Amino acid sequence: MDRLVAMLAGFSLPNGCKRTCLVAVIGNSLDQTFLFGSEDFKIAGFDGKLSLNKGYVAGILTVDTVADFLPRKGPLRQRRTGVAYISNVAVREKFRQKGIAKQLVAKAESQARSWGCRAIALHCDLRNPAATKLYEGRSFKSIKVPEGANWPQPKTSPDVKFNFMMKLLNKSAVS
């Protein structure tokens, strides 16, 4: 949640970095069909002016190019570029198993491509097999962190173990 809070609080981004929060909003009836681009179901960059007059927030996802969970490169420990990072994926319990997270991830991949990213990465809680299945279904691959490597980890409780996953983005792919 730290990335989402930082975005909503207006904290600045490092030069050249981008960040957006994708929000899935469904119509005011749970029986309505979920469609992107319709009046009833929208996923778009959240700018702090979300109107909920006709629906419910069903899910969110934050994507950015800050790269603070990737190891720095070179002797100057420079920030990596060209890699987007997904965080804060959440779908309300009553809206799960309806493809919302899958569509949010697809939209995040599309956003990353539009930013010129060559890859997209995330950390997945090892105790969440549904999330692992979702990301593997979107062709994310588990990346083995080298033994003894000091890679940055998301800031959560110390007992949470993560799987670092990454996907190369095909520039011509359409989500």
Side-chain angles (χ1 to χ4, degrees):
M1 284 304 282
D2 57 332
R3 296 165 100 73
L4 179 59
V5 170
M7 185 180 72
L8 295 176
F11 292 130
S12 63
L13 288 170
N15 284 341
C17 294
K18 298 178 186 210
R19 177 181 290 151
T20 193
C21 180
L22 305 176
V23 180
V25 180
I26 66 160
N28 52 16
S29 166
L30 295 179
D31 297 328
Q32 291 177 337
T33 304
F34 299 124
L35 297 171
F36 284 97
S38 77
E39 287 274 307
D40 299 322
F41 194 131
K42 300 172 190 159
I43 291 190
F46 178 66
D47 64 2
K49 299 175 185 154
L50 183 67
S51 170
L52 296 177
N53 292 337
K54 293 186 176 183
Y56 304 94
V57 172
I60 63 166
L61 174 153
T62 305
V63 61
D64 64 48
T65 61
V66 177
D68 51 0
F69 292 121
L70 299 174
R72 298 294 177 114
K73 64 180 182 178
L76 299 178
R77 314 246 330 123
Q78 296 171 313
R79 183 180 306 280
R80 293 190 180 265
T81 58
V83 180
Y85 185 80
I86 291 175
S87 61
N88 303 318
V89 180
V91 175
R92 287 182 189 251
E93 192 169 349
K94 67 181 176 181
F95 298 118
R96 292 181 186 162
Q97 300 298 311
K98 299 185 184 317
I100 293 171
K102 183 178 182 179
Q103 292 179 58
L104 282 165
V105 171
K107 183 67 175 173
E109 292 171 14
S110 177
Q111 182 68 61
R113 279 188 202 91
S114 76
W115 290 338
C117 293
R118 65 185 181 285
I120 192 163
L122 55 87
H123 282 89
C124 183
D125 184 343
L126 288 173
R127 298 176 300 183
N128 189 342
T132 300
K133 182 179 176 185
L134 163 72
Y135 302 129
E136 287 174 345
R138 296 281 319 156
S139 301
F140 281 80
K141 304 292 183 209
S142 294
I143 305 296
K144 183 167 174 38
V145 177
E147 192 70 34
N150 188 19
W151 281 27
Q153 294 287 314
K155 294 168 181 65
T156 62
S157 63
D159 63 323
V160 176
K161 302 291 182 221
F162 291 99
N163 185 16
F164 182 73
M165 303 181 84
M166 185 175 261
K167 175 181 179 175
L168 295 177
L169 296 173
N170 179 344
K171 295 291 183 191
S172 63
V174 177
S175 298

